[in-house]
């Protein structure tokens, strides 16, 4: 239980820094003010999510930092340090969208554990995470429109270049749709129902 929650808290801690990084790293691209307003808001929400999980870990006797953690999100950030489109695709439209997909699985796991408080924190954070994926979608579409690129085609091109393997099922279609991501973005890149890879 604590290992699971510690991993989630760690992802939130990285997310805070990544939101500030995206604003500073790509500030030279003549982006409109609402771009920065979006990511300042998201950074604040990620900080709130981290504080909630850190407090919950304290309650469970496992303070944040007590367990080892991965650096997957930083690896994604490093791989996309030279391209805002790549950053939006890999961090927001792949990894954060995957977080939406795994929400119900994790929620049910917490319910089976009888951890009502952690399930409440997860559900509160989840509603805001949908808008974070939505921001990634919105600004990816903005950049594609600015350079005359077709968003779905460009998304497929970048995922195939940046992401190893196929996108994993099951998809949280409701949450992805609420974030502005229709199935035309992810279904062609998904593993087949029998576990085979999609169109790579």
């Amino acid at each position: 239980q604590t290992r699971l929650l510690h991993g989630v808290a760690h992802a939130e801690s990285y997310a805070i820094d990544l939101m500030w990084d995206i604003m500073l790293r790509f500030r030279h691209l003549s982006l409109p003010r609402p771009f920065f307003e979006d990511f300042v808001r998201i950074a604040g929400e990620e900080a709130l999510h981290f504080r909630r999980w850190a407090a919950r870990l304290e309650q469970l006797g496992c303070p944040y930092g007590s367990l080892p953690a991965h650096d997957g999100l930083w690896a994604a950030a490093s791989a996309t340090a030279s391209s805002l489109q790549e950053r939006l695709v890999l961090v927001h439209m792949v990894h954060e969208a995957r977080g939406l997909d795994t929400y119900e699985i994790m929620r049910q796991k917490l319910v089976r554990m009888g951890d009502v408080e952690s399930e409440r924190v997860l559900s509160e954070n989840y509603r805001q995470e949908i808008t974070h994926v939505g921001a990634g979608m919105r600004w990816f579409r903005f950049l594609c429109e600015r350079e005359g690129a077709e968003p779905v085609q460009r998304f497929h091109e970048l995922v195939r270049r940046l992401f190893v393997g196929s996108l994993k099922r099951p998809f949280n279609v409701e949450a992805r749709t609420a974030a502005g991501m229709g199935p035309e973005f992810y279904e062609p890149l998904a593993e087949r129902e029998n576990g085979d890879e999609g169109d790579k």
Side-chain angles (χ1 to χ4, degrees):
Q1 177 186 7
T2 53
R3 186 174 299 277
L4 174 66
L5 301 184
H6 192 279
V8 176
H10 187 65
E12 299 287 12
S13 74
Y14 271 163
I16 300 166
D17 292 337
L18 286 176
M19 297 313 116
W20 292 110
D21 181 81
I22 199 172
M23 289 183 280
L24 292 172
R25 186 175 300 278
F26 300 107
R27 65 188 184 279
H28 61 285
L29 296 180
S30 300
L31 297 160
R33 182 182 180 90
F35 172 87
F36 298 96
E37 292 173 342
D38 262 351
F39 284 98
V40 166
R41 171 184 61 81
I42 294 171
E45 291 172 352
E46 299 289 17
L48 175 61
H49 298 175
F50 172 75
R51 288 197 301 271
R52 287 171 175 166
W53 286 122
R56 182 62 183 140
L57 286 167
E58 288 282 352
Q59 292 171 351
L60 294 170
C62 179
Y64 176 70
S66 299
L67 298 173
H70 64 82
D71 64 350
L73 281 178
W74 271 123
S78 298
T80 58
S82 62
S83 168
L84 178 55
Q85 279 193 23
E86 292 180 357
R87 173 67 61 86
L88 293 170
V89 165
L90 195 56
V91 171
H92 297 274
M93 299 167 67
V94 172
H95 290 301
E96 281 201 303
R98 180 61 184 161
L100 301 182
D101 298 336
T102 59
Y103 160 73
E104 185 59 26
I105 296 169
M106 183 173 176
R107 191 191 71 79
Q108 291 180 10
K109 184 177 295 186
L110 293 172
V111 169
R112 288 195 300 271
M113 291 177 179
D115 191 346
V116 176
E117 178 59 22
S118 295
E119 192 271 336
R120 181 189 65 79
V121 172
L122 180 72
S123 297
E124 288 180 354
N125 293 351
Y126 167 72
R127 290 187 285 272
Q128 292 180 326
E129 294 291 353
I130 294 173
T131 72
H132 300 177
V133 177
M137 285 293 305
R138 180 163 53 256
W139 293 108
F140 177 71
R141 288 183 182 277
F142 169 85
L143 293 173
C144 287
E145 181 179 347
R146 190 159 75 171
E147 68 173 58
E150 200 286 313
V152 174
Q153 181 179 344
R154 177 59 57 84
F155 177 73
H156 292 174
E157 171 192 330
L158 293 178
V159 172
R160 289 183 175 115
R161 176 149 53 85
L162 298 167
F163 188 71
V164 178
S166 300
L167 302 184
K168 293 182 180 180
R169 300 180 187 276
F171 297 116
N172 186 336
V173 176
E174 181 179 1
R176 284 173 174 261
T177 300
M181 181 182 285
E184 67 275 11
F185 278 90
Y186 52 87
E187 280 291 351
L189 302 174
E191 60 186 4
R192 298 305 186 195
E193 296 292 351
N194 62 4
D196 294 337
E197 290 196 351
D199 301 331
K200 294 293 286 181

